[in-house]
Structure formats: C-alpha cells, structure tokens
Amino acid sequence: MVSPPVDAVEVRLNIDQSFLTQEGISGSMTIGSHTTLLVDIFQLIQQIDPNGFGQGQDLSKEAVAGKTLLLAEDSEFFRDKVKALLAGYGFKVITAQDGRAAWDILEQDSGKIDLVITDVEMPNMDGFELTRKIKEDARFSHLKVIALTSLSSPRHMEEGNRAGIDAYLTKFDTQGLLSSIQKGLTQDVQKILP
C-alpha cells in the first residue's frame, strides 16, 4: 500500500493539519523539497482493532469524575494524541513539554493534579528526575507516576523503579495506560516493574 522507506532524516515537526488530511493521515509537511504525508498510527491501529486503543476499556465514573492528569511529553504528536485519548474519557489533562515544565505546573497547582504521566526521555528534566522530585517532596509524594515511553529495556525499567515510577508502560499500550490510571486514582496501583 505504500512504498518502502527511502531515507531517514531528523526534522522539526511543523505539521500542516489543514491540507491533505484524511482518515489515517494526521497531516503533511515539507521535508526537503517533498510534500510528505504523515501517518496517524493511532487511527490506523484503531481501524484494524477498535479495541486496540482502549475503546473497550471501562473506567469507573469515580475514577474519572473531576480528575486532573498532568502529562509530560516532549513530542507534540504523542502529547496531542494521549491528551485527546484521555480527554475523551472525561479527564482534564494539563500538558507539559518536558519534566521541568511539569515540575513548574505542579508547584503552581500543587493541589489540582491527581496523577502524573511522563515520558522518560525529555530535555531539561527527564522523567526519572521528575519522578524523584515528586516522590521526595511531601506535597506530591502521594501522587502516582506512570511512565509512558519508548524506552523499555530492563535497564530503563530498573532505573524507573529506583526513581519511584509506579507503572512503566510503552507508548502504544493504551489499555495498560487506562488500567494503570484507574488503579492509580483509586490508590490501588501495583508496581509493574521487575
């Protein structure tokens, strides 16, 4: 259905979502001199398996009602996708582009955040450092922290365990994310680290 990869380049995302959009395509951008369509992995997987991104997941009304989640993610693409998914379940989602920004939000709104979701690899302050700061601060140590990351080696998971991360998930494990959120909000989360 598509041609094989031709090359890999690192570019700053500047996605045009107003032109060339369709189901399974999140937008387009110019890379080099070529207009490139960007595949929306979330929509494609949802088309193949409607339950693949948590559509069949039941969240109790008590777990969702009035709850505010803080999402620290440096990728705008994933930040927007995860925020939209969680907002669709009724959560209020506050986003931060890195751990430093998330920490600043926590300090400004110390009583408003119910759970933290963080990427691990981010500039300025990574998810491990953010988690350590949360767990070491009496104002926030009660908060459950869920890592949502592409770094899933045993070494990274062990570092997450030492930092105090309560659940360590890969970025496309939406059902695991929803389940961990429900457990975390009901203070029933169990560490799923080695």
Side-chain angles (χ1 to χ4, degrees), residues 69-85:
L69 310 179
L70 175 58
L71 171 63
E73 168 62 66
D74 63 319
S75 163
E76 183 181 1
F77 174 79
F78 278 107
R79 196 167 57 238
D80 291 348
K81 292 300 179 185
V82 174
K83 179 179 180 177
L85 171 77

Side-chain angles (χ1 to χ4, degrees), residues 128-142:
F128 299 131
E129 185 180 350
L130 173 62
T131 302
R132 280 190 292 275
K133 287 178 77 76
I134 289 169
K135 297 300 182 173
E136 292 169 0
D137 191 308
R139 297 172 296 170
F140 311 121
S141 59
H142 67 283

Side-chain angles (χ1 to χ4, degrees), residues 68-109:
T68 300
L69 310 179
L70 175 58
L71 171 63
E73 168 62 66
D74 63 319
S75 163
E76 183 181 1
F77 174 79
F78 278 107
R79 196 167 57 238
D80 291 348
K81 292 300 179 185
V82 174
K83 179 179 180 177
L85 171 77
L86 297 176
Y89 280 93
F91 292 109
K92 178 179 180 188
V93 183
I94 299 172
T95 61
Q97 71 272 15
D98 58 40
R100 170 64 57 208
W103 181 253
D104 291 344
I105 289 167
L106 276 171
E107 289 200 303
Q108 292 167 8
D109 297 324

Side-chain angles (χ1 to χ4, degrees), residues 92 134 150 165 188:
K92 178 179 180 188
I134 289 169
S150 56
I165 289 173
D188 194 14

